[in-house]
Amino acid sequence: MKSILSHIILLLFFAGLFFACDVTRHVPQGQYTVDKVSLDIDTKDVAPPELSPFIRQQANSSAFEIGIYNWTYGSKFFLKKWIGKLGKAPVIYDDRARLQSANQINIEMRNKGYLNAQVESRVDTANKKAKVYYQVTSKEPYRIQDFRIDIANQRIDSILERRNKRNRSEIKPGIIFDMYTLEDERTRVSTLLRNRGYYTMTEDNLHYLADTTLRSHQTDLTMILKDSVVIEPYKIRKVSVFSGYDPLNRRAYKVRDSILYKDIQIYYDSTRFIRPRVLAYNILMRPGQLYSASSTTKTYNYLTELNSVSRVNIQYEEVAESDSAALDCKIYITLGNIHGIQTGLEGTNKAGDLGIAANIVYTHHNIFNGSEVLGVKLRGAYEFVSGGDTSNVFNHNYYEFGIGVTLGFPKSHIPFVGKLSRDRFKITSEYGASFDIQNRPEYIREFFNLSWKNKWNNEAKTVSQTLNLIDINYVMMPWMSDDFKTYLNQPGNQLARYSYEDVFTAGVGYSIIFTNASTGKFRQRLHTVRLNAETSGNTLDAIFSLAGAKKDDSGQYNILGNPFAQYAKGDVDFSQTQRITEKGSIAYHVGLGVAYPYGNSFILPFEKRYYAGGPNSVRGWSTRRLGPGSYNGDTDNPATHVGDINLIMSFEYRHKVLKWLELAAFADAGNIWTIRDYDNQPGGMFDFSSFYKELAIGTGVGIRLDLDFLIVRLDSGKRVYDPAHEEGQRWVLFDKFKGNWGAYLAIGYPF
């Protein structure tokens, strides 16, 4: 497998070099391909990438794509024609495009406040290639000396005055006279007023008066309301909901039932597919309130997020009132698909081991008429476990099957939490139960799980939180082969024996993810921070202790005939990707985890311990073949290559060759360690004075295939520094390849 992957990687690299040759082969005589586009500007306040979108002709994006185009040009052979679709013709230089680009850049500089900016352009041609240069001389920008809002409306003036006292305006004396900043200010002011009842207010109602006749490069700016506009605040007179409304069959909609619930008039067609309480919880508008665009948007989002709803339409109708302006709010809700069945066949990549899994899922999206989701999942999998074992005790392939039931609610069931977080987060609760069987020739393992999860996501989906208030797991080993029992009872296999014992865990956990999901910025930095904490066994330990329960001969409390696990575990993980060129980016990742067994446990459950090596860890080592520390023991027994502390650091350079092809070079460093000095893992214990000497280092190259719906990754890693060797012999970059490198086929990026 490694040999095949290595040949694929080398083949694609050499193919890229071959195709990149002679990009001008099919450029007509007297014409030029755009080989280079350069844009320079003399101020740091405007970055060249901000002006690049205004250049009509960019340089050829990829010599690789042009190489494919040249290689398949004019071919009638079907395979070549198909490959040719992956190529791209060279960009032919157009002088008119250069002049238009210079003009557009000049306009953009004026929009940014550089009213006297000058843009010069030139082109150099040779050997059918054109190099285009743009030079921007910014000169001194205009700045705002004074800014005020002059609206002849006492109520609006009062609203804006309170806003200005909170320093909410982005326009301040001394800033550059930037049209985009001014437009943003118009949006903020109109949005503020629309949230204070001004239903008819739009951005177009506001415009600016700029006085540039002051001293050089200074501007006085005034925002005013157009003379022809008369605005007043609107109050909501009535809120009506039409449940079960089908916009494609409006004439068939007949009201058969209605109810007034919390000042909301709800009309039903045939069935109450959403309970009145659920509707009232998700609708923020009420009679007597001022109109609010924000409340309308949130209500729309809340209702469309209900699983039983397919479409929502919110309309306002102006109502003639003698003393004030009023609105009737009408909300039309369309029923979605209540029942659903999904089947799937997928490749799996668990801990670096490949397999295949099939599943069928039935969902009911409105089980209690409150958009609760009932899910029943049947799953079967077959996995090819990597590695080898000369003892033939382990069969490295296995299959498993299981059933899981979940019940999700579109709200939190934790007291007070729902009301406190409603305006800022989307909250869901999920209860689950599952049973799985893992079947191998040497043993059968069964997994039971009960869970209660609460999830919060903010509107921008930049913060996600999960609170596991109940997480109960019971792992049973109902059967083992005689050979496997003999293997576990051999001297020196204490860790392996513990890893295959029955274990019961009952704990709580909390995780939070921060991510920067902004897009569209050339030099954007996309980062993700993950924090996770969990504990197990504390409540059980307290109950057993208060009840005066007896401990076994090992000094442990037992439940269901086995000691329950007691531990604490915490993880922090940071990853960031930064674009450095149009096609290139760098990505780096740091992860740290610590788990500590105490009380009723002497060692962590096997499933909770850390492992190193593999496609998402230190590449160059196979999964569960690195560490802990400088341990150099049984390479065929994964139970010995686990630990209680994990540290991983990775760096990658990624370069987009084609839309669907990306090349990468990477370096990884990390290892795992144990908290205690276990007899079966000599050299594995963490020591502050020497742990840095036990950081394994690997490096290599990779290829990523972007198939839109997933990323297929081929990586080849070579060991550089191996802590399993004696000190002084750990640098192994130039050692023989056999046993010192790894090839990986994986799904998705490593971080």
Side-chain angles (χ1 to χ4, degrees), residues 549-568:
K550 293 183 179 181
K551 297 183 177 181
D552 60 16
D553 295 339
S554 300
Q556 296 174 291
Y557 294 119
N558 282 256
I559 187 170
L560 300 177
N562 293 283
F564 59 83
Q566 190 172 7
Y567 64 88

Side-chain angles (χ1 to χ4, degrees), residues 618 621 626-632 668 670-671 673 682-685 687 689-699 718-736 739-740:
V618 184
W621 282 260
L626 171 61
S630 60
Y631 171 69
N632 186 15
D668 305 315
N671 206 335
W673 294 266
M685 183 175 175
D687 189 334
S689 64
S690 60
F691 83 93
Y692 62 91
K693 299 179 182 179
E694 298 168 343
L695 289 172
I697 301 175
T699 188
K718 175 71 173 68
R719 300 181 187 183
V720 176
Y721 182 86
D722 190 348
H725 291 276
E726 296 291 336
E727 288 195 54
Q729 301 177 9
R730 293 178 174 176
W731 294 100
V732 295
L733 177 61
F734 300 107
D735 285 8
K736 61 181 180 179
N740 282 326

Side-chain angles (χ1 to χ4, degrees), residues 38 142 156 207 274 290 327 380 434 498 615 634 653:
S38 174
Y142 277 72
I156 293 179
H207 66 160
I274 298 183
L290 286 173
L327 296 169
S434 65
Y498 180 82
D634 187 355
Y653 172 74

